[in-house]
Amino acid sequence: MPSDQVFRSRVSARIANQLDHLLRGYGLPNYMENWEQTALALGGALGGYLPGAVVPPFAQRLRKETQSVILPGEERALRAYLKQRRATGTRLNLNYLGEAILGEGEARRRLDAYLALLARDDVEYISVKLSSIFSQINLVAYDATLEAVKERLRELYRAALQHTYRHPDGRTSSKFINLDMEEYRDLHLTVAAFQQVLDEPEFMALRAGLVLQAYLPDSFAVQRSLTTWAQGRVARGGAPIKVRIVKGANLAMEKVEAALHGWEQAPYSSKLEVDANFKRMVVYGCQPKHAAAVHLGVASHNLFDIAYAMLVRDRAGVRNLVEFEMLEGMANHQARAVQERAGGLLLYAPVVKKEDFHSAIAYLVRRLDENTAEENFLHDLFGLEPGSPTWDKQRKRFLVACQLMERVSDQPRRKQDRRLEEDAGDSVPDLAAPFHNVPDTDFSLPQNQEWIQDVVQRWRTHTPDPIPLQIGGELVGESFPGTGSDPSCPGVVAYRYAPRRPCPGRSGAGGCHGCPARMGCDHCCRTQGVVAPRRYRTRTQPGRLDWRDDPGWWQGHHRSR
Ligand SMILES: Cc1cc2nc3c(=O)[nH]c(=O)nc-3n(C[C@H](O)[C@H](O)[C@H](O)COP(=O)(O)OP(=O)(O)OC[C@H]3O[C@@H](n4cnc5c(N)ncnc54)[C@H](O)[C@@H]3O)c2cc1C
């Protein structure tokens, strides 16, 4: 797929350069027809000279090829699409495509785009990624991040309450906002922001939802606690919430993230466990007392899982509280069959404007991954029919996952807890053992957020001891007129120290040891060798002996003691 690397830039010359680079490295894709290969080769060769002429048709072609999966965001095309889908009785969940953003200007632009969608009379339901509406998610500053995210959510939820949607049967309802789930690090932040804002009196009547990813063992515990909370909200007169259960689309990214930081991978290590957890969450969510407070969306393209969820839903008698969701363009023939059997379908429709097409690339790559990963259902879909080898393979997987459902762990795989760690002290490490970095602190874990908040709190009120001089092994200093500052707190004295002073000329034979004043002055230190000067070579004057030139002399002196 050339699109990922090529379209990261919006600049035609850069795109042409990357296209040429890929074609040189990998050759022409052999799935293309002859004339397409010729056109691509020509484009690669001429793009460097005429990027403005070559790149736009190339981008146009790519957009056209993907338009069944990614919808055009331009007004006329979008309106026509919404009308056509509505005519077939399919409900739509629109998502303005975009991945995590870098700046607040872009965050505002995305927020405005969501608000514009909510204001349309032909839009009922939208999906939002938290990382697309706030650019500075920083879990070290968890509380500040949470407050900022909540503020953005309030703005969206207010718009959802303000605008109403008229359903084909004449009913009206407020607009629906669903929070998509992305990285593991966002799980607890998303849930906390969602619950805290919906707990505010202004939003008690609002129905809103979020996604839980079954590939995270943690999700089942989160589902249970969300359910208990939602039952309380409903009992207090609030609206039910909705949870969409998916398996999870960012497995590769989670693996890379874990490897880079020295952490366990957050998702389960096998698909069987993921499948088992997915079913367990569906069964739990379909229990009538749970579904009444937490409506369920079952989002999958795996027909075994969809059929299973339909049976569980019907046996539990919660047909009107559990709906099925699929992605636009991924398996539309399946979607039609599911819509018919399930009595309705919510289609997730990603939308992107021409100028933002680069934002669609990550989405396309995730879909490509889903279609090609060895164990996935869609990988086996072509030629799938009862009795075929791929059918038997998927059927077996399904049955084994059913057996595993009650036993699969619901404990987080990432357990690091900085609160419980002790300093290694003087213990000597095994010097023969291979070198391993100490894992980075995982600030997505609540216990580590608690730990760092505690550290910050302690240091905020902590006044460090004044720093004396150390002369001849002894600490010297009765007054501490020197002051140090912390650039993050201008005007505040961060610490005090005893500075060296000019020599009053009273040193004795033993340097500072003999100096009656014991003042730690320049003279004693230099002439009596209390701080031993070290040989230090400068490039200009080799062999020159001058401790002042040695930037490490002070540390060296201390370390050697
Ligand atoms: C309407 C809708 C909304 C969605 N929203 C989100 C969202 O907000 N966030 C999100 O992350 N995803 C979302 N997705 C994508 C979703 O996660 C994938 O479509 C889904 O995982 C594919 O699962 P499946 O049941 O269709 O197929 P299956 O083939 O049964 O399952 C594939 C999934 O199994 C898991 N898997 C595969 N191999 C392994 C392995 N070796 N180890 C561990 N796990 C493995 C992965 O999660 C993979 O995606 C959404 C999907 C739909 C349909």
Side-chain angles (χ1 to χ4, degrees):
M1 177 171 231
S3 43
D4 179 28
Q5 188 165 334
V6 172
F7 284 100
R8 280 181 199 168
S9 170
R10 296 182 206 203
V11 180
S12 291
R14 179 86 187 130
I15 294 175
N17 170 283
Q18 285 302 298
L19 178 62
D20 184 46
H21 170 73
L22 282 190
L23 290 177
R24 280 173 201 271
Y26 298 97
L28 293 162
N30 54 16
Y31 59 82
M32 284 185 166
E33 300 204 12
N34 285 345
W35 71 268
E36 289 176 315
Q37 293 193 355
T38 311
L40 193 57
L42 269 175
L46 295 176
Y49 306 103
L50 299 166
V54 169
V55 168
F58 180 66
Q60 175 68 18
R61 177 70 205 272
L62 190 70
R63 223 176 156 222
K64 195 154 173 261
E65 291 242 324
T66 55
Q67 71 186 8
S68 60
V69 187
I70 294 176
L71 308 170
E74 286 72 24
E75 178 56 28
R76 252 183 66 190
L78 183 61
R79 193 163 280 281
Y81 165 80
L82 294 174
K83 194 170 163 202
Q84 177 226 329
R85 275 294 181 207
R86 202 168 140 122
T88 62
T90 311
R91 291 174 54 229
L92 288 173
N93 165 11
L94 293 191
N95 172 236
Y96 251 126
L97 277 187
E99 303 300 315
I101 40 133
L102 298 177
E104 280 302 277
E106 180 66 0
R108 188 64 245 177
R109 207 167 70 83
R110 298 225 167 251
L111 199 59
D112 288 341
Y114 290 130
L115 293 173
L117 273 185
L118 290 170
R120 295 176 66 111
D121 57 5
D122 52 1
V123 170
E124 172 200 355
Y125 198 123
I126 68 166
S127 274
V128 170
K129 286 183 181 12
L130 273 196
S131 65
S132 72
I133 55 170
F134 181 51
S135 66
Q136 303 303 313
I137 293 181
N138 183 343
L139 297 175
V140 180
Y142 181 80
D143 288 342
T145 300
L146 180 61
E147 285 313 312
V149 166
K150 279 165 59 181
E151 202 40 55
R152 311 282 156 102
L153 266 191
R154 285 188 197 104
E155 202 172 336
L156 286 170
Y157 285 166
R158 255 173 225 135
L161 280 173
Q162 185 193 342
H163 301 291
T164 49
Y165 177 75
R166 183 171 293 279
H167 296 261
D169 62 6
R171 271 180 312 121
T172 54
S173 61
S174 53
K175 302 288 172 97
F176 195 96
I177 298 176
N178 188 84
L179 301 181
D180 277 359
M181 201 59 83
E182 302 165 85
E183 303 176 39
Y184 177 65
R185 63 164 203 167
D186 300 330
L187 172 65
H188 296 291
L189 179 74
T190 309
V191 173
F194 176 79
Q195 286 182 299
Q196 290 179 22
V197 175
L198 287 185
D199 262 342
E200 294 172 7
E202 183 183 356
F203 301 113
M204 283 300 273
L206 181 72
R207 269 189 72 227
L210 51 64
V211 174
L212 291 179
Q213 297 158 315
Y215 70 10
L216 299 175
D218 324 43
S219 290
F220 185 43
V222 173
Q223 183 189 19
R224 295 196 307 265
S225 87
L226 263 174
T227 304
T228 309
W229 165 79
Q231 286 170 328
R233 177 175 140 96
V234 171
R236 292 195 304 279
I241 60 157
K242 180 184 166 189
V243 166
R244 178 203 303 154
I245 305 175
V246 303
K247 285 181 191 161
N250 304 309
L251 185 61
M253 184 276 294
E254 295 289 1
K255 282 186 175 181
V256 170
E257 164 121 329
L260 284 178
H261 294 284
W263 300 331
E264 280 288 328
Q265 134 188 349
Y268 289 110
S269 58
S270 75
K271 182 170 189 293
L272 273 181
E273 292 167 290
V274 177
D275 288 346
N277 195 35
F278 184 84
K279 292 170 190 46
R280 174 167 66 180
M281 291 175 72
V282 168
V283 170
Y284 178 88
C286 282
Q287 288 180 32
K289 61 180 188 297
H290 299 155
V294 183
H295 299 176
L296 215 59
V298 178
S300 171
H301 297 115
N302 185 327
L303 291 179
F304 284 91
D305 280 329
I306 295 173
Y308 178 78
M310 275 187 204
L311 283 177
V312 173
R313 173 183 85 157
D314 289 349
R315 284 196 188 157
V318 290
R319 198 180 165 92
N320 56 336
L321 303 176
V322 179
E323 65 185 341
F324 290 86
E325 304 187 32
M326 295 174 98
L327 300 177
E328 176 63 286
M330 280 292 277
N332 280 359
H333 51 299
Q334 271 189 214
R336 282 193 292 278
V338 171
Q339 180 170 358
E340 209 177 294
R341 292 287 180 101
L345 183 71
L346 184 64
L347 261 195
Y348 185 103
V351 176
V352 75
K353 285 193 175 158
K354 194 173 166 191
E355 61 270 24
D356 289 330
F357 191 71
H358 62 282
S359 301
I361 304 302
Y363 178 85
L364 285 171
V365 170
R366 285 199 292 272
R367 301 294 77 86
L368 180 77
D369 187 40
E370 216 167 291
N371 274 275
T372 51
E374 192 74 25
E375 297 170 280
N376 286 3
F377 180 83
L378 286 180
H379 174 269
D380 289 341
L381 188 62
F382 288 112
L384 188 76
E385 53 183 53
S388 64
T390 44
W391 172 275
D392 288 342
K393 178 181 131 194
Q394 290 293 338
R395 178 176 174 272
K396 197 166 159 209
R397 282 194 158 280
F398 171 77
L399 293 174
V400 175
C402 286
Q403 284 166 7
L404 200 64
M405 200 168 33
E406 298 302 327
R407 285 178 285 129
V408 68
S409 165
D410 66 352
Q411 293 304 304
R413 288 168 53 83
R414 299 237 288 255
K415 297 194 168 72
Q416 187 190 67
D417 189 344
R418 290 284 190 236
R419 296 170 310 177
L420 307 178
E421 290 172 8
E422 282 172 17
D423 200 315
D426 292 335
S427 65
V428 181
D430 175 5
L431 296 177
F435 174 77
H436 287 295
N437 269 323
V438 171
D440 293 342
T441 299
D442 182 358
F443 287 110
S444 56
L445 302 177
Q447 62 267 26
N448 287 345
Q449 288 160 9
E450 200 182 295
W451 167 77
I452 194 66
Q453 276 171 19
D454 183 49
V455 172
V456 170
Q457 207 49 45
R458 271 188 283 126
W459 276 90
R460 210 165 250 158
T461 50
H462 177 80
T463 316
D465 291 340
I467 304 165
L469 283 172
Q470 186 170 25
I471 297 165
E474 284 174 41
L475 298 175
V476 180
E478 276 138 25
S479 67
F480 303 94
T483 57
S485 63
D486 170 359
S488 71
C489 304
V492 176
V493 173
Y495 58 93
R496 294 184 178 279
Y497 63 92
R500 270 188 293 122
R501 303 184 206 165
C503 179
R506 282 183 289 170
S507 61
C512 277
H513 294 288
C515 173
R518 315 268 299 141
M519 297 184 74
C521 59
D522 278 352
H523 180 79
C524 296
C525 295
R526 206 149 25 118
T527 59
Q528 306 300 329
V530 174
V531 175
R534 296 189 305 161
R535 188 165 290 276
Y536 176 68
R537 279 170 199 277
T538 64
R539 251 182 249 156
T540 46
Q541 292 165 287
R544 182 175 160 220
L545 205 123
D546 188 345
W547 59 268
R548 284 172 208 268
D549 284 349
D550 181 355
W553 77 269
W554 172 243
Q555 286 91 337
H557 173 69
H558 272 259
R559 268 203 302 274
S560 66
R561 287 174 184 268

